Amino acid sequence: MNPILVSKSQSRNFGSKVAKSTILTVSFSFFFSLLTIAQEKQQDTTKLNQLDEVLVAAVRATSKTPVSFSNLDKKDIAPRNLGQDIPALMNYMPSVVSTSYAGNGIGYSGIRVRGSDATRVNVTINGISYNDSESQGTFWVNLPDFASSVQSLQLQRGVGTSTNGAGAFGASLNMLTDNYAKESNGEIANSYGSFNTHKHTVKFSTGLMNDHFELAGRLSVLKSDGYVDRASSDLKSYFLQGTYAGKTTLIKGLVFGGYERTDQSWNGVDAETMASKRTYNSVGQQYSVAGDFEGFYKNQVDNYNQDHAQLHWNEKISEHWNTNLAFHYTKGKGYYEEFVDDWFYTNVYYAEDSQYSFLGLNPITVNGNPISSTDYIRRKWLDNDFYGTTFSANYENEKLDLVLGGGYNKYEGSHFDEILWAQYPSNSQSGDIYDSSDAVKKDGNIFAKANYQLTSQWSLFGDLQLRNVNYKTDSAETGNVNDNFNFFNPKAGLTFAVNSKNAIYFSYARANREPNRSDYKNGSPKPEKLNDFELGWRLTKKQVKLNANVYYMAYKDQLILTGQLDNVGDPIRKNSGDSYRLGLELDATIAVLDNLFFSPNVTVSTNKNKNYFEDNGTDLVNLGDTNIAYSPNLVFGNNITFLPLKKLQLALLTKGVGEQYLSNNDVKASKLKSYFVNDFNLSYEINPKSIFKSIVVSGLVNNVFDVDYISDGADYGGGYVVYYPQAGINFLAGLTLKF
């Protein structure tokens, strides 16, 4: 769960409504102006990728692919890689909004793209799905400091190209881990900052031994108290890869993973409490029988281990053909522990329910009095395995770039709750298990996609995917589920090279997507459908690079967030019937001087449910067209980079997010205000003549102007709204030694 924004009252309101007609008028005027551009012959600037890059070639877009995308590579990430999670590092990309439960970008964090939450962003690592199979969420806390092992990443907005895992209903994010190094090297990086944050990273590479073999690795430790009360993180991670690099062969074996122990901070804080104590965290509250507050449970933690293994074999068969075969396995196991308070449960949360009934236990009698509820401590466990294979074959000549591929994955998950202690133990004992259930999900797909150069100016894109999903589970929460889905996802597009500097593209993509586990817990969900239309322009000059894109995403039975959370903190979603997202995205890189660069981006959009029905308890009420929850109409950013000296880089990063609703009924009380924040980043490199190849000093000041803003919230209905405040001004400083 990771909704979005709000600022203090004096912040400017960047959330003005944008009408559909306005977006269309601006967009088409913008594109018709291209007709005045003189035609020039397009030059082919495609270069042969390293074998390393073929690991993600099957899922990545290129300049000839008619989709909207942005890239970040290692040099873009490095100056700000001081401990914050990947969502925080991606915050300044087009159409992206990041959020953090701890308030400082470390621990549980996430992103939204075009208003779509993290469960709808398809994430792959070296082409292998990373999203949790059941929840479809992406838990970056399980891979702390993973940015230190990322060579590059690409964010495709909209449906994008075919990839492994659940369909992209907002965006696709694919990451390529570190390339092999030809020469031996090492790195020690340490950073310190606000909220007792510190990160320690050690990396090494043997370089190519005997011109063929490399061993490389990383160890990281990251700790932070967090901005919010009792929102600390204790994180550890590792990354190890062995590489064989031949003339036409690349074989990589990778093992990586993480251990996280975080205090729970996902309850949020209501407006009244926040007014007097902005960082208050209610998780783990303890009360007396009379309802007097007695303190907090000390071990209210989330504790999880996740380990990944990948084996990739890439073979260049001929001048035109190369293949990639991969096998993967992920093991995850852990729990979150919580104190459940009898008084709070019976008087605030589930007053009409019997806790014993909820626990599957029988009520008891104590001194002649019937007891149906109790204080207790439980652990909610998840023990899962995810494994499978992906494969692709790529044929490329002067006119045709063809990829044939697919994958098959299986997920096996065991959910169970363990009683550690109960005030009135009934017929349970410490260590007893209740509400145990298993889940199995099988996911297979095959696809074919091609770019074909029709003429010197026209190129055609086609992408066809068949996907089969089978999901089974049998818990008390979900009931017996045994659903099978067959999805056909076609994509097609055209690119017209006006000249060597200008290209226009249009594409259509169809996506289908299955419900997740929480959807089954909260109703009888239908699968979702999306028709995505994209119209774009790319300008590439020496001093200016500009991308403009208009999108129209038409949904059927979109599973939208209602704004409410269930009894274990998962977002509640429901099918909304017909809905759409219409927007205009602009992003550019402008070299004002040889040492001064601007990288602005802006997205204006309208996001609507059509004829939205709400259940008021007795009837279904048609509210007409309403705003989709957690979907701001305006998102913009900018990165001003100045290099006063060859090795000194200064950057001012700006992010603005418009107002948005936490529910789908347009109730004013659930509207989050806009916010506008700025970060300042510094990086200075020293090249000594001995011992070290490089010494890099980095600094990051987040929220320079100390804005009180809120990036997330939940609306439970009836006027009860909670918020997730973000930190005011805070800093991180780092020292990296490379040798």
Side-chain angles (χ1 to χ4, degrees), residues 143-434:
L143 289 178
D145 197 29
F146 193 66
S148 293
S149 295
V150 171
Q151 184 68 32
S152 66
L153 61 84
Q154 182 180 87
L155 181 69
Q156 298 174 19
R157 298 180 291 277
V159 171
T161 61
S162 286
T163 186
N164 296 295
F169 263 53
S172 296
L173 171 63
N174 60 76
M175 295 179 288
L176 173 66
T177 56
D178 281 343
N179 293 341
Y180 65 86
K182 293 182 180 180
E183 297 182 355
S184 61
N185 62 81
E187 181 177 312
I188 300 172
N190 296 281
S191 61
Y192 299 86
S194 302
F195 318 116
N196 196 28
T197 299
H198 49 103
K199 178 177 82 79
H200 311 287
T201 302
V202 178
K203 293 184 67 176
F204 76 92
S205 169
T206 62
L208 286 181
M209 299 179 290
N210 297 324
D211 294 327
H212 290 296
F213 298 94
E214 184 228 27
L215 185 65
R218 171 184 58 82
L219 292 173
S220 299
V221 175
L222 202 166
K223 295 185 178 182
S224 177
D225 291 342
Y227 167 67
V228 174
D229 297 345
R230 302 183 326 286
S232 67
S233 299
D234 184 355
L235 314 173
K236 301 176 178 67
S237 69
Y238 67 94
F239 181 91
L240 182 67
Q241 73 174 16
T243 302
Y244 169 79
K247 186 175 181 181
T248 60
T249 302
L250 177 70
I251 298 175
K252 270 191 171 185
L254 300 89
V255 289
F256 57 92
Y259 162 78
E260 62 93 0
R261 184 180 175 89
T262 59
D263 286 328
Q264 298 170 24
S265 57
W266 47 59
N267 273 12
V269 57
D270 62 87
E272 182 180 356
T273 304
M274 188 171 60
S276 58
K277 191 165 185 181
R278 182 177 170 79
T279 60
Y280 187 76
N281 179 11
S282 64
V283 177
Q285 294 177 130
Q286 294 177 299
Y287 295 89
S288 68
V289 176
D292 297 322
F293 176 69
E294 294 184 326
F296 296 94
Y297 180 58
K298 301 297 184 183
N299 204 41
Q300 195 91 5
V301 297
D302 183 67
N303 194 101
Y304 197 75
N305 287 274
Q306 191 175 79
D307 300 289
H308 301 254
Q310 297 182 359
L311 177 63
H312 297 270
W313 177 19
N314 182 279
E315 190 72 31
K316 187 173 180 60
I317 297 174
S318 68
E319 180 184 354
H320 300 296
W321 282 98
N322 63 67
T323 60
N324 187 63
L325 176 64
F327 299 95
H328 67 89
Y329 174 68
T330 300
K331 176 64 180 180
K333 186 173 183 179
Y335 61 85
Y336 71 82
E337 183 174 321
E338 64 177 353
F339 177 87
V340 180
D341 187 88
D342 174 27
W343 180 88
F344 185 80
Y345 187 98
T346 56
N347 290 277
V348 180
Y349 202 29
Y350 285 134
E352 74 283 4
D353 292 346
S354 162
Q355 278 188 347
Y356 281 154
S357 174
F358 176 73
L359 295 171
L361 305 176
N362 298 318
I364 62 171
T365 300
V366 176
N367 297 327
N369 298 314
I371 301 295
S372 61
S373 63
T374 181
D375 291 349
Y376 67 98
I377 299 170
R378 68 176 175 184
R379 284 181 176 174
K380 293 186 72 69
W381 282 88
L382 175 61
D383 185 353
N384 55 38
D385 301 271
F386 177 62
Y387 51 92
T389 182
T390 64
F391 50 88
S392 65
N394 179 215
Y395 174 82
E396 188 174 6
N397 62 25
E398 290 182 0
K399 288 191 173 183
L400 177 65
D401 186 356
L402 171 68
V403 180
L404 305 173
Y408 179 80
N409 303 303
K410 186 176 183 181
Y411 170 89
E412 298 173 329
S414 178
H415 302 258
F416 55 94
D417 295 359
E418 176 187 8
I419 294 289
L420 297 185
W421 170 87
Q423 182 182 16
Y424 299 115
S426 182
N427 58 345
S428 70
Q429 301 294 326
S430 178
D432 278 1
I433 303 299
Y434 71 98

Side-chain angles (χ1 to χ4, degrees), residues 571-597:
I572 296 176
R573 311 191 302 182
K574 73 173 185 178
N575 295 112
S576 69
D578 294 327
S579 56
Y580 68 86
R581 301 181 190 273
L582 172 66
L584 168 65
E585 298 169 321
L586 299 171
D587 70 275
T589 300
I590 304 166
V592 181
L593 301 170
D594 290 342
N595 62 348
L596 179 63
F597 305 89

